[in-house]
């Protein structure tokens, strides 16, 4: 049979890669933007201002407590309907994943900055560094080592969570895989292939994290 | 010192906002001119009709190797485009899941849903259904060697269903002693039966005729449970002109014998040879 065994992957490679493209588009774009917005959010979270503190706390908890699925539905169906606009599934997904990434990344950044010893900051201030210089030369270089492991794990989590986007009409690699399975009934090979693809997307991130950590240790 | 810090934080806050907003900024333009124009007119102006179909439900709506949409629902979709816009290629198929069909219509992300949509009272409150183009009842399949011979044998056993479908509703209301195991997507539902996570599976009979034809080792326990339902195109509640157009269209197509033609083209090879087309489609 032409559509049996491992051939099912080769015969359908076109649509599977098309789905992979959508998965990567959402994961990579959202991760990239969240890295920067998350930094800003992390600094905001360290503010002494009560209102800023409260608002950033609510924002973070909102993404921790409310399932991503609910956010996706809200941004794809309910908000556009209320506002009378149309928004594509890809855009809605990137917006939601970026907002989520910003919240989580912000918490990682805050944790890293707060974990630095007070002595570092005091010594910096005592030699006359400005707040900005203190941040750029003392806090940031030390914090980044503590940020990377958390950021990498956020990245792999985000890549895996993209499988939810099928419910807002984005045809990602998992949705494509399901279409092929329904047509060919070759669940084993397709799921195996999806396993391999997700491994190939996530494992390099882990290697990179380990390498960076080792480099900074020496 | 304190003041500088505050200023610094404000700048950061603004930066975060700006970056955040540019991220959100790419809206795909507003839903085009509602106003007094009817839906049919607006579709004609757009030159393309957006039809929601399934991508993982052969033989009704599925995706070919080259990524094109195929199946019985798609066949009807192309005919609708031909009759509405004069060209069967002037259709944009949007892939839906069972759980989001109503939302797609209510938020006007598609014009028509042709995704094996069974007409129910609950759904009628949310969307408008046109004249039906298919019949359906519920069915139950079980492994050939299982002791289940009728729906009554299912009491105390586990039945696999799709969340949000007619099957789940029917068994929840009429057979509270049957344990239900619900999944969101067809792929998962049927895989669960193959993996033995339940004793039997309930779904639309048409889908089961096709599935048990392809999967040896399973038997139809009952092919006609519950009241016979119909499957019809669905539209947004606001689009009464499109609803009227579809009603005329389905009547004309039925009279012309179009659905027999569609059955022969898309369904015949997927069902057991002894299936009576009259159980599935409305013949003229």
């Amino acid at each position: 049979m032409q559509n049996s065994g491992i051939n099912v992957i080769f015969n359908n490679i076109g649509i599977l890669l098309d789905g992979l493209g959508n998965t990567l588009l959402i994961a990579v774009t959202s991760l990239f933007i969240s890295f920067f917005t998350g930094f800003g959010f992390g600094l905001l979270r360290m503010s002494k201002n009560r209102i800023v503190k409260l608002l950033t706390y609510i924002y973070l908890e909102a993404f921790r407590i409310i399932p991503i699925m609910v956010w996706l539905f809200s941004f794809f169906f309910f908000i556009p309907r209320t506002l009378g606009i149309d928004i594509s599934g890809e855009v809605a997904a990137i917006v939601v994943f970026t907002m989520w990434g910003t919240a989580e990344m912000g918490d990682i950044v805050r944790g890293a900055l707060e974990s630095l010893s007070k002595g570092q900051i005091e010594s910096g201030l005592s030699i006359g560094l400005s707040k900005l210089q203190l941040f750029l030369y003392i806090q940031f270089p030390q914090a980044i080592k503590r940020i990377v492991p958390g950021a990498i794990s956020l990245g792999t989590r985000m890549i895996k969570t993209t499988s939810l986007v099928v419910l807002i009409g984005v045809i990602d690699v998992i949705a494509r895989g399901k279409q092929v399975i329904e047509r060919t009934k070759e669940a084993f090979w397709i799921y195996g292939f999806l396993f391999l693809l997700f491994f190939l997307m996530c494992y390099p991130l882990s290697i990179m994290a380990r390498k960076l950590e080792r480099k900074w240790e020496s | 010192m304190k003041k500088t810090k505050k200023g610094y934080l404000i700048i950061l806050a603004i930066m975060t906002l700006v970056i955040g907003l540019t991220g959100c900024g790419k809206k795909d333009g507003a839903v085009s001119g509602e106003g007094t124009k009817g839906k049919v007119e607006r579709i004609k102006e757009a030159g393309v009709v957006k039809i929601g179909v399934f991508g993982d439900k052969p033989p009704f709506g599925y995706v070919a190797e080259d990524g094109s949409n195929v199946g019985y629902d798609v066949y009807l979709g192309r005919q609708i485009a031909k009759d509405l816009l004069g060209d069967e290629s002037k259709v944009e198929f949007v892939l839906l899941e069972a759980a989001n069909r109503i939302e797609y219509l209510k938020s006007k992300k598609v014009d028509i849903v042709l995704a094996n949509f069974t007409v129910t009272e609950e759904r009628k409150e949310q969307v408008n259904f046109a004249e039906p183009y298919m019949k359906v009842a519920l069915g139950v399949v079980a492994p050939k060697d299982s002791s289940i011979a009728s729906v009554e044998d299912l009491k105390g056993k586990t039945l696999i269903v799709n969340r949000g479908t007619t099957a789940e509703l029917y068994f929840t209301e009429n057979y509270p002693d049957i344990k239900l195991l619900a999944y969101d997507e067809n792929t998962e539902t049927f895989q669960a039966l193959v993996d033995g996570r339940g004793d039997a599976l309930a779904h639309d009979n048409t889908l089961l005729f096709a599935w048990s034809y392809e999967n040896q080792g399973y038997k139809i326990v009952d092919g006609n449970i519950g009241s016979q339902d119909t499957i019809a195109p669905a539209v947004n509640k606001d689009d009464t002109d499109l609803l009227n157009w579809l009603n005329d269209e389905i009547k004309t197509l039925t009279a012309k014998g179009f659905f027999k033609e569609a059955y022969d083209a898309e369904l015949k090879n997927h069902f057991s040879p002894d299936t009576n087309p009259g159980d599935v489609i409305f013949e003229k």
Side-chain angles (χ1 to χ4, degrees), chain B residues 141-266:
Chain B
V141 284
K144 260 188 186 144
D145 53 11
S146 94
S147 61
I148 298 163
S150 74
V151 177
E152 297 303 315
D153 296 342
L154 280 168
K155 285 189 178 151
K157 300 248 167 85
T158 305
L159 180 67
I160 304 166
V161 292
N162 264 39
R163 191 168 289 129
T165 58
T166 342
E168 187 187 25
L169 271 173
Y170 178 80
F171 282 96
T172 310
E173 279 171 16
N174 298 293
Y175 292 92
D177 330 340
I178 299 176
K179 275 177 266 171
L180 294 184
L181 181 60
Y183 292 93
D184 277 320
E185 288 164 60
N186 285 335
T187 314
E188 298 165 332
T189 312
F190 283 101
Q191 195 59 43
L193 180 68
V194 173
D195 293 346
R197 274 179 273 163
D199 301 293
L201 181 150
H203 215 305
D204 296 347
N205 62 354
T206 42
L207 189 65
L208 295 182
F209 293 152
W211 189 81
S212 58
Y213 175 65
E214 285 161 15
N215 293 267
Q216 308 294 315
Y218 294 89
K219 61 181 176 189
I220 304 272
V221 173
D222 197 327
N224 194 353
I225 307 168
S227 55
Q228 191 170 71
D229 288 314
T230 54
I231 285 173
V235 297
N236 186 293
K237 284 261 180 200
D238 296 341
D239 302 333
T240 40
D241 61 326
L242 181 60
L243 182 71
N244 294 336
W245 185 89
L246 276 171
N247 283 337
D248 293 341
E249 170 79 354
I250 301 284
K251 277 179 213 154
T252 316
L253 289 178
T254 309
K256 273 203 302 197
F258 168 83
F259 291 106
K260 181 69 175 66
E261 181 198 313
Y263 180 92
D264 289 341
E266 298 286 349

Side-chain angles (χ1 to χ4, degrees), chain B:
Chain B
M1 205 67 205
K2 244 197 161 155
K3 251 196 171 154
T4 352
K5 187 172 181 191
K6 249 188 192 160
Y8 172 57
L9 277 171
I10 289 169
I11 291 169
L12 263 174
I14 293 170
M15 269 174 56
T16 316
L17 260 176
V18 169
I19 298 173
L21 282 180
T22 31
C24 314
K26 283 188 197 151
K27 305 272 149 80
D28 270 11
V31 176
S32 49
E34 300 274 313
T36 50
K37 273 182 208 161
K39 184 72 166 189
V40 174
E41 202 179 326
R42 270 183 278 135
I43 292 173
K44 283 182 178 163
E45 266 174 21
V48 63
V49 55
K50 281 196 236 173
I51 299 184
V53 293
F54 279 133
D56 60 356
K57 208 174 179 188
F60 306 107
Y62 57 111
V63 176
E65 278 173 17
D66 61 0
S68 61
N69 295 87
V70 273
Y72 181 79
D73 291 343
V74 174
Y75 197 89
L76 172 59
R78 293 195 204 283
Q79 184 66 35
I80 286 174
K82 194 175 173 184
D83 295 335
L84 187 61
L85 299 167
D87 184 347
E88 66 166 27
S89 67
K90 287 184 176 168
V91 53
E92 181 190 334
F93 288 110
V94 179
L95 297 181
L96 309 183
E97 298 288 326
N100 64 18
R101 287 176 292 192
I102 288 180
E103 280 311 322
Y104 261 92
L105 278 177
K106 289 184 84 175
S107 53
K108 304 192 179 180
K109 287 185 183 284
V110 294
D111 302 319
I112 306 168
V113 164
L114 293 177
N116 220 260
F117 216 176
T118 310
V119 182
T120 66
E121 288 307 315
E122 288 88 350
R123 286 172 182 163
K124 274 187 196 163
E125 287 167 17
Q126 312 266 345
V127 298
N128 276 340
F129 286 101
E131 293 285 319
Y133 64 93
M134 255 178 71
K135 300 173 193 173
V136 70
L138 290 175
V140 170
V141 284
K144 260 188 186 144
D145 53 11
S146 94
S147 61
I148 298 163
S150 74
V151 177
E152 297 303 315
D153 296 342
L154 280 168
K155 285 189 178 151
K157 300 248 167 85
T158 305
L159 180 67
I160 304 166
V161 292
N162 264 39
R163 191 168 289 129
T165 58
T166 342
E168 187 187 25
L169 271 173
Y170 178 80
F171 282 96
T172 310
E173 279 171 16
N174 298 293
Y175 292 92
D177 330 340
I178 299 176
K179 275 177 266 171
L180 294 184
L181 181 60
Y183 292 93
D184 277 320
E185 288 164 60
N186 285 335
T187 314
E188 298 165 332
T189 312
F190 283 101
Q191 195 59 43
L193 180 68
V194 173
D195 293 346
R197 274 179 273 163
D199 301 293
L201 181 150
H203 215 305
D204 296 347
N205 62 354
T206 42
L207 189 65
L208 295 182
F209 293 152
W211 189 81
S212 58
Y213 175 65
E214 285 161 15
N215 293 267
Q216 308 294 315
Y218 294 89
K219 61 181 176 189
I220 304 272
V221 173
D222 197 327
N224 194 353
I225 307 168
S227 55
Q228 191 170 71
D229 288 314
T230 54
I231 285 173
V235 297
N236 186 293
K237 284 261 180 200
D238 296 341
D239 302 333
T240 40
D241 61 326
L242 181 60
L243 182 71
N244 294 336
W245 185 89
L246 276 171
N247 283 337
D248 293 341
E249 170 79 354
I250 301 284
K251 277 179 213 154
T252 316
L253 289 178
T254 309
K256 273 203 302 197
F258 168 83
F259 291 106
K260 181 69 175 66
E261 181 198 313
Y263 180 92
D264 289 341
E266 298 286 349
L267 298 181
K268 204 177 176 182
N269 296 331
H270 290 85
F271 285 169
S272 322
D274 55 349
T275 308
N276 171 21
D279 286 345
V280 182
I281 59 161
F282 292 95
E283 288 169 297
K284 55 179 167 177

